[in-house]
Amino acid sequence: MWWVCHLPRASWGPGLGRVLQPADGRIPFLTHWSWPHKGERPLGLSRAFIRHHGSSAGSGPPSRRHGQLFQDISASEAVQHYRRNLAEWFSRLPREERQFGPTFALDTVHVDPVICESSPDELFRPTAELALEHQPPLAGLPALALSQLFDPDACGRQVQTVVLYGTVGTGKSTLVRKMVLDWCYGQLPAFELLIPFSCEDLSSLGPAPASLCQLVAQRYTPLKEILPLLAAAGSRLLFVLHGLEHLNLDFRLAGTGLCSDPEEPEAPAAIIVNLLRKYMLPEASILVTTRPSAIGRIPSKYVGRYGQICGFSDTNLQKLYFQLRLNQPDCEYGAGGAGISATPAQRDNLVQMLSRNLEGHHQIAAACFLPSYCWLVCATLHFLHAPTPAGQTLTSIYTSFLRLNFSGEMLDSTDPSKLSLMAYAARTMGKLAYEGVSSRKTYFSEEDVRGCLEAGMKTEEEFQLLRVFRRDALRFFLAPCVEPGRQGTFVFTVPAMQEYLAALYIVLGLRKTTLQRVGKEVAEFVGRVGEDVSLVLGIVAKLLPLRALPLLFNLLKVVPRVFGRVVGKSREAVAQAMVLEMFREEDYYNDDVLDQMGASILGVEGPRRHPDEPPDDEVFELFPMFMGGLLSAHNRAVLAQLGCPIKNLDALENAQAIKKKLGKLGRQVLPPSELLDHLFFHYEFQNQRFSAEVLSSLRQLNLAGVRMTPLKCTVVAAVLGSGRHALDEVNLASCQLDPAGLRTLRPVFLRARKLGLQLNSLGPEACSDLRDLLLHDQCQITTLRLSNNPLTAAGVALLLEGLAGNTSLTHLSLLHTGLGDEGLELLATQLDRNQQLQELNVAYNGAGDTAALALAQAAQDHPSLELLHLYFNELSSEGRQALRDVGSTAKGGARVVVSLTEGTAVSEYWSVILSEVQRNLNSWDRSRVRRHLELLLRDLEDSRGDTLNPWRKAQLLRVEGEVRALLEQLGGPGS
C-alpha cells in the first residue's frame, strides 16, 4: 500500500529553517527500507532507512559554517563518545515496544506530530468551557516544522528559547527522544552539542546545591573534558529540558537569585531559572517541553516561541504511522525468534482495512488524533494477529499503555498531596466510566462529565487539581462525539477505555455507598476503642454493680464484622453484575469479544442491532475481562507504579466473590462465542489455580463456528491445557484451524476423548501434527472426526502411521476428505496395523469399485472393525451389489454401508446418511450430491417394488419422502 503524505517533516539540515520540497509538490512515502546489522551504524552518517519527506537521512556531518567548536582531538573524541553513549541510552525501548519485532527501533518508524505556533495571548486567555477544551487545535494556526523552531520570529529577532507544550498523549517524550537520536546520528548539524535534562530527574534532587557543570558531569561523564568550552559554544549548544511540569520554578529575584557561573553550586531549579533568564550561558539555545498547565511557570518575556504539539491532526499522518508500525519486517517473530504470523499481504490488508475505517469512521480518526492512541491501536492489532508473548493479555496492554503515558507522574508538582495523575483519573474518569456501564450508555453530556469531575469538591486545592487535570489530561480520556446527531456529547477516546476504567474504579474500591463510607469510619473507630473500653469497664464492674455494661461493650466488637459483611455483600453484588454481563447472550450479537474488538478497529461491519431493542442499549463484554485482568499480579504491580495500588486482601476478596458467582453460572451450557469469552476471562486473570477450580465442571468444549485465530488458540491452550480432568468432547468444527493452531491446541487435545475437526480446510501438512498427536503417550482420543477436510491420500498415509501406534482410537471419520482410490487402497493395505478401530467412515471420497471392494474385504478380516461407511462414492450398481454381498456373507465381520437400503428393507443407517447430507448441504458439490441422491432414490423405488411387505413399503416411502425433500432443496426433481 502506498500513501502520499502532504504534511512535510522538515530536515534538521545545515540550512536550518529551509524545507526542501519536491518539484511536483507531493511527498511520496517509500515503503521499502533496510536496517544495517546492530553495531554497524556509524555515528555522524545518515541512517540506513527511508522515511517520509523531510527526513535528514542523507545529510552530511554537522555544518562547519560557524566554525568547528571542538577542534581538539581529545575534545572531538569526547563528543563522539558522548554521542555513542547518548544514542545507546535513548535507543533503549520499553518492553511494550519490543513486541513489534527484534529490529524495531524508534529511529526507523517515526512520524513527527503536527506542531502549531501559538502566541502568549492565546495561551493565557481565560480557561475555555469544557466543550471547547476538547476541540482539536484550530486549523488556522501556523504549522511549524522541526527545522523552523529556532528560526527568527516575525520581527526578525533570533529565537533562543522554544517551549513545546501538549496534553498527555500528544507525543512529547517520543519527539524529544527522536530529536536526541537525530543529533547523535549527525542530523542536527546546527547544534554541535546537545545536552538533554529530565526535569523529573532534576526534581528528585530537591534543594541540594549543585553546579550546572556538576549536573552535566554526573550524568554525562564523557563531557567532563569539554565543560570549560560550554560558554564559548553560543547558540550551537542546545539544552533540552523535558517535562518542565515536574519543577517548581520561581522567577522572582527574592526567590531565585541571579547566577551566571556554570560552576557555582545552586539548587537545580535555580540553575534552570537562570538558564531560562538567559543570565547563565545567555547565547545557548533551549528547548522546553511541558504540559499545558505548567506553561505559566516561565514568564513569556523569556520565551521566544511557543509551539503546541497537536498530534496527528491529519489522517495521512495516522495512516503513515500505521503503515510503518504494522509492516515491520520482523513482526512475525516472537520473543524466541520463531513463530507463525500474517504474511506481508495479510499485513497490507490489515493496513488497508484500517485506512478505510479512518476515512469512513470519523470517531476513530478523532481518537487517533493522539499519537498515543495510534500506538494502542497498533498494539491491539498486534495482539490480535501476531504471536502473543508469554503472559501478555489485553488488560496488560492497556495497563502498559497507561504506564507509558503517565509513568507515575504527579498531577501537580506544586500540590503538597503529591497525588498521582493516574489515581486522579481513576477516581474521576473511572466514576464516569462506571456510571456509563451501569446505565448502559457510552455518550455523555457536559453535565454528566462535570458531575463526575466536580463531585464532592469543597476546597480551593481540589479545584486547582481539577483545573490542571482538565488542561493536561481530560482530552486523553474523552473526545467530542463526531457522529451525526450526537454533537455536543462526549465519548471515551476508545470504547474499550471506558470499560477498562470502569473495571479499575471497581477493583480499586472507589465505588462506595454512603453506608459504606460512614460505616467504615465508625467500624474502625469502634473496633479500635471497643476492646479497651470493655476491659476497663470489666475491671470497674467487679467493684461496682455494673455487670451489664461489659456485655453491651462486647457487642461493639461485632460492629467491624458486621461492616465486613456489608462490604462482602457489595463485592458479591459487583461480581454478580460482572458475571451476568459476561454471560449476557444476545441473539443478534453472537461474535466473541476478540472479534468484536478487531471489527471495531478495522471497520468490519458486525451484527446489527436488534430492531426491537432500545437504541441506547449497549453491551459491555470487555468490562468483566478487564476486571479479571486487573486482579492479576502483574497488572497490580504496574498499577502500583502508577499510584493505584490494589491491596492483596481486596484482590483476594474480589476473586473469591467472582469465583462464587462463576461457580454457579459457569455450569450452564454456553453458546460457542460466550464460552470463548468465558475462557478469555480466565486468560486475562492469569491464575491457573482459580481457573482450574472454576472450570473443573467443564466436560464439553464446543467452539464450533468460532474463528480460531492464533490468539484464540493460545487463550484456549493456556486456560485448559494444564487441567487434569478429561474433556468428554472437543468440538472445533468450522473454526478455520491451521497446522499452527493444531500444535498450539495439542495440550487440550490430549485431554479430549472425542475430537471434532470437521470443515477446517486441513490439508496433508496438518496430518503430520495429527499423527504426532495420535502417537503421544498421553493421547486418550476415542473418536476423531476429520470430515470435509482436503486430507488427500498423502495425508491419510501420515494418519496411518499414527493409527499404527495408537491404542485409544475406536471411531475415525474421513468423510469427504479427497482420498480417492489411492487413499482407500492405502487404508486397505495398512488397516490391520491398528487393532482397536471399530468404525471407519470413508464416504463421499470419489473412490471406485475396486478400491472400495478391497477396503471392504480388509474390513472383514479386521479383528475389531464393526462398521464401514462407503456411501456416496463413485460406485456402479454392480459395485454396490458386490459390497452388499461382502457385508452379508461375512460372519462376524464389519457391516458395510453403501446405500439407504439393505435388500428390500430400509438400512438402519439411513438417518445417519441423510443427516450427513443435510448437515453438509451448503458445503458439498450440489450437482454431485444431487446425482448420488437420485441413485439412492432409484434404489429405494426398486426395493419398494420388490417387496410385498406393507410395513417395509411404508418405511421405504417415508425415506423416499426425505430424499425428495433434500432434492427439492438442491433444486432437483422432487418427484
Side-chain angles (χ1 to χ4, degrees):
M1 183 176 182
W2 296 74
W3 277 319
V4 176
C5 175
H6 296 281
L7 290 177
R9 179 196 188 279
S11 65
W12 292 79
L16 196 63
R18 185 174 67 247
V19 182
L20 300 178
Q21 296 285 352
D24 60 357
R26 302 181 66 198
I27 308 158
F29 168 64
L30 305 180
T31 57
H32 173 74
W33 62 90
S34 60
W35 288 262
H37 294 294
K38 185 176 180 181
E40 294 181 4
R41 178 169 53 192
L43 293 171
L45 300 178
S46 62
R47 281 166 293 173
F49 64 90
I50 300 176
R51 285 174 18 189
H52 60 286
H53 172 75
S55 168
S56 299
S59 61
S63 171
R64 297 175 180 267
R65 65 186 178 90
H66 297 293
Q68 187 71 30
L69 177 63
F70 307 111
Q71 296 180 356
D72 183 76
I73 295 178
S74 61
S76 177
E77 290 178 350
V79 172
Q80 289 301 316
H81 186 196
Y82 168 65
R83 286 179 189 261
R84 285 193 294 269
N85 289 353
L86 202 61
E88 182 180 359
W89 174 256
F90 276 85
S91 296
R92 293 178 181 176
L93 297 176
R95 181 177 58 87
E96 292 82 2
E97 294 283 24
R98 294 198 294 270
Q99 67 178 314
F100 291 101
T103 64
F104 177 83
L106 181 66
D107 58 350
T108 61
V109 286
H110 177 75
V111 181
D112 288 330
V114 175
I115 302 175
C116 293
E117 186 170 5
S118 57
S119 66
D121 294 338
E122 296 169 341
L123 288 174
F124 300 112
R125 68 174 182 267
T127 304
E129 292 297 317
L130 178 68
L132 298 177
E133 282 185 278
H134 279 71
Q135 297 299 326
L138 297 176
L141 292 177
L144 280 174
L146 289 177
S147 61
Q148 298 172 319
L149 292 180
F150 290 93
D151 277 4
D153 61 15
C155 299
R157 293 187 295 260
Q158 183 64 40
V159 172
Q160 292 182 303
T161 301
V162 176
V163 174
L164 296 181
Y165 65 94
T167 60
V168 174
T170 49
K172 299 184 295 296
S173 298
T174 304
L175 189 65
V176 166
R177 183 192 297 264
K178 186 62 181 58
M179 290 175 62
V180 172
L181 289 175
D182 276 348
W183 179 81
C184 292
Y185 302 141
Q187 297 182 7
L188 286 180
F191 302 106
E192 295 193 26
L193 186 62
L194 182 148
I195 301 177
F197 280 115
S198 165
C199 294
E200 184 179 11
D201 172 38
L202 296 179
S203 68
S204 66
L205 301 178
S211 68
L212 175 63
C213 291
Q214 287 175 331
L215 292 178
V216 173
Q218 287 172 359
R219 284 151 185 78
Y220 310 113
T221 306
L223 295 183
K224 284 183 177 180
E225 299 182 26
I226 61 173
L227 288 177
L229 300 176
L230 291 184
S235 62
R236 289 167 290 173
L237 169 62
L238 174 63
F239 286 102
V240 177
L241 307 177
H242 176 53
L244 188 74
E245 65 273 3
H246 293 282
L247 284 175
N248 299 326
L249 303 182
D250 187 354
F251 279 80
R252 297 172 305 144
L253 288 176
T256 304
L258 298 175
C259 178
S260 61
D261 186 359
E263 297 184 1
E264 180 69 24
E266 293 279 353
I271 293 175
I272 299 302
V273 167
N274 280 292
L275 281 174
L276 293 170
R277 282 172 173 166
K278 292 302 174 184
Y279 203 78
M280 182 183 295
L281 302 180
E283 294 185 358
S285 301
I286 302 176
L287 178 66
V288 179
T289 66
T290 182
R291 299 203 303 248
S293 63
I295 295 176
R297 297 183 188 179
I298 306 178
S300 58
K301 64 180 180 180
Y302 297 126
V303 180
R305 174 172 286 125
Y306 291 98
Q308 181 181 3
I309 302 177
C310 301
F312 297 154
S313 54
D314 189 304
T315 54
N316 285 327
L317 294 180
Q318 299 172 11
K319 294 176 184 179
L320 181 59
Y321 183 96
F322 294 131
Q323 171 86 343
L324 291 170
R325 282 271 177 170
L326 296 176
N327 271 328
Q328 279 291 291
D330 288 337
C331 271
E332 65 267 28
Y333 298 106
I340 303 298
S341 177
T343 62
Q346 291 171 325
R347 293 198 297 268
D348 284 341
N349 185 52
L350 281 180
V351 175
Q352 290 174 14
M353 293 175 69
L354 184 54
S355 173
R356 288 194 296 269
N357 201 27
L358 286 171
E359 294 170 356
H361 196 309
H362 301 294
Q363 196 62 56
I364 294 179
C368 293
F369 160 78
L370 292 175
S372 292
Y373 278 97
C374 291
W375 182 94
L376 182 60
V377 167
C378 289
T380 304
L381 286 177
H382 198 266
F383 174 70
L384 293 174
H385 296 280
T388 305
Q392 186 184 57
T393 64
L394 185 64
T395 311
S396 70
I397 288 177
Y398 273 74
T399 307
S400 299
F401 168 68
L402 294 175
R403 186 182 69 81
L404 288 173
N405 284 278
F406 295 100
S407 62
E409 290 185 15
M410 290 180 293
L411 177 59
D412 184 4
S413 61
T414 63
D415 186 73
S417 66
K418 304 301 180 185
L419 181 65
S420 81
L421 200 159
M422 190 61 224
Y424 191 90
R427 191 178 71 198
T428 53
M429 293 293 96
K431 177 179 173 62
L432 180 68
Y434 180 74
E435 289 182 356
V437 170
S438 58
S439 59
R440 317 201 68 76
K441 68 177 184 180
T442 57
Y443 303 95
F444 303 93
S445 66
E446 187 168 331
E447 291 72 23
D448 295 333
V449 179
R450 288 186 184 278
C452 289
L453 289 175
E454 299 176 1
M457 288 199 172
K458 299 177 182 179
T459 65
E460 180 64 26
E461 290 76 13
E462 290 174 334
F463 279 100
Q464 171 63 18
L465 290 177
L466 174 59
R467 187 192 71 83
V468 172
F469 181 78
R470 285 177 58 178
R471 293 202 66 185
D472 291 351
L474 189 57
R475 178 62 182 86
F476 181 83
F477 294 103
L478 290 180
C481 183
V482 296
E483 296 179 11
R486 298 281 187 178
Q487 282 77 12
T489 61
F490 299 90
V491 295
F492 279 86
T493 314
V494 292
M497 184 58 73
Q498 177 181 352
E499 300 176 69
Y500 178 92
L501 290 173
L504 182 61
Y505 184 71
I506 295 300
V507 299
L508 288 175
L510 298 175
R511 178 183 175 271
K512 292 183 176 68
T513 63
T514 303
L515 175 62
Q516 289 174 324
R517 286 193 296 268
V518 176
K520 182 178 181 181
E521 296 175 2
V522 173
E524 289 178 350
F525 174 77
V526 171
R528 192 165 49 247
V529 304
E531 186 174 347
D532 297 335
V533 172
S534 297
L535 179 62
V536 172
L537 289 181
I539 297 172
V540 174
K542 292 180 180 179
L543 304 175
L544 300 174
L546 300 174
R547 297 186 181 276
L549 289 178
L551 177 63
L552 293 176
F553 277 92
N554 281 335
L555 294 177
L556 296 178
K557 299 178 182 179
V558 181
V559 174
R561 279 180 283 175
V562 172
F563 174 74
R565 293 199 174 190
V566 172
V567 175
K569 290 294 183 183
S570 175
R571 295 187 194 280
E572 289 187 8
V574 172
Q576 175 78 5
M578 188 210 78
V579 172
L580 288 176
E581 188 66 53
M582 186 187 305
F583 295 119
R584 185 173 183 260
E585 182 190 359
E586 303 292 339
D587 294 336
Y588 53 89
Y589 212 140
N590 289 326
D591 286 346
D592 60 81
V593 70
L594 293 174
D595 279 351
Q596 292 174 35
M597 173 158 281
S600 69
I601 295 175
L602 298 175
V604 179
E605 289 294 334
R608 298 189 179 276
R609 191 184 301 276
H610 193 277
D612 298 331
E613 180 192 9
D616 289 334
D617 189 43
E618 297 286 349
V619 176
F620 297 94
E621 294 187 284
L622 277 175
F623 169 63
M625 313 300 168
F626 284 137
M627 270 198 70
L630 288 171
L631 293 175
S632 69
H634 169 74
N635 285 308
R636 285 192 285 124
V638 177
L639 286 172
Q641 299 173 13
L642 293 173
C644 300
I646 301 174
K647 298 178 181 178
N648 291 329
L649 183 60
D650 290 340
L652 178 62
E653 291 176 350
N654 275 304
Q656 289 175 342
I658 293 172
K659 182 167 67 175
K660 182 178 179 181
K661 298 302 178 183
L662 280 178
K664 294 179 180 179
L665 295 177
R667 295 189 184 96
Q668 61 183 320
V669 178
L670 299 172
S673 61
E674 296 294 317
L675 178 56
L676 183 67
D677 289 347
H678 187 192
L679 298 179
F680 185 61
F681 166 81
H682 288 278
Y683 178 77
E684 290 291 310
F685 197 13
Q686 295 282 300
N687 188 322
Q688 289 187 354
R689 182 179 177 183
F690 174 92
S691 300
E693 293 177 2
V694 173
L695 297 173
S696 59
S697 61
L698 183 66
R699 289 293 182 269
Q700 291 188 337
L701 179 64
N702 179 17
L703 297 176
V706 174
R707 185 173 60 93
M708 293 300 291
T709 62
L711 172 61
K712 295 177 188 177
C713 292
T714 301
V715 167
V716 175
V719 175
L720 295 177
S722 59
R724 296 181 180 178
H725 69 277
L727 297 171
D728 294 337
E729 183 175 4
V730 174
N731 184 3
L732 294 174
S734 190
C735 288
Q736 301 181 36
L737 276 173
D738 57 12
L742 295 180
R743 288 191 290 273
T744 302
L745 291 169
R746 182 181 295 179
V748 181
F749 294 162
L750 292 175
R751 296 177 53 195
R753 290 196 173 95
K754 294 181 180 180
L755 177 59
L757 298 174
Q758 313 94 297
L759 288 164
N760 277 297
S761 300
L762 297 174
E765 64 279 4
C767 292
S768 62
D769 298 295
L770 294 172
R771 174 198 60 194
D772 297 339
L773 174 65
L774 292 173
L775 292 175
H776 199 284
D777 56 358
Q778 296 179 10
C779 179
Q780 51 186 322
I781 298 173
T782 60
T783 301
L784 178 59
R785 302 187 186 96
L786 296 173
S787 55
N788 297 299
N789 287 297
L791 303 181
T792 71
V796 83
L798 295 170
L799 282 178
L800 284 169
E801 296 178 15
L803 284 174
N806 181 271
T807 58
S808 64
L809 193 66
T810 58
H811 295 72
L812 176 62
S813 175
L814 298 174
L815 169 75
H816 192 216
T817 50
L819 301 185
D821 288 339
E822 183 182 357
L824 263 65
E825 289 169 358
L826 276 171
L827 284 168
T829 57
Q830 301 187 40
L831 190 61
D832 58 346
R833 297 176 64 186
N834 179 282
Q835 302 296 310
Q836 285 78 34
L837 201 61
Q838 298 175 12
E839 181 178 351
L840 177 62
N841 189 341
V842 288
Y844 197 15
N845 271 295
D849 294 348
T850 304
L853 190 58
L855 181 57
Q857 291 171 344
Q860 303 308 313
D861 299 331
H862 196 278
S864 62
L865 195 63
E866 299 174 357
L867 190 61
L868 176 63
H869 299 263
L870 283 169
Y871 49 87
F872 274 35
N873 279 295
E874 302 301 318
L875 304 174
S876 64
S877 299
E878 294 78 9
R880 291 198 299 275
Q881 186 58 47
L883 289 171
R884 291 193 190 98
D885 294 341
V886 170
S888 61
T889 57
K891 295 181 180 180
R895 299 189 61 177
V896 181
V897 181
V898 294
S899 179
L900 296 174
T901 61
E902 293 180 1
T904 58
V906 174
S907 170
E908 62 180 291
Y909 299 103
W910 71 268
S911 61
V912 175
I913 297 174
L914 294 185
S915 64
E916 285 286 0
V917 175
Q918 182 69 57
R919 186 162 44 245
N920 298 287
L921 206 58
N922 295 324
S923 59
W924 286 357
D925 184 341
R926 299 174 75 86
S927 61
R928 188 175 172 187
V929 172
R930 185 186 304 115
R931 178 166 54 85
H932 283 292
L933 286 176
E934 289 170 351
L935 290 174
L936 294 177
L937 183 60
R938 191 175 302 121
D939 283 346
L940 289 167
E941 292 171 343
D942 293 343
S943 298
R944 181 163 52 85
D946 293 341
T947 183
L948 299 176
N949 188 320
W951 176 246
R952 288 186 177 180
K953 283 182 178 289
Q955 286 182 315
L956 289 166
L957 279 171
R958 178 192 172 192
V959 177
E960 283 182 38
E962 298 283 349
V963 175
R964 293 180 194 279
L966 288 174
L967 284 170
E968 287 180 357
Q969 293 183 43
L970 289 168
S975 62

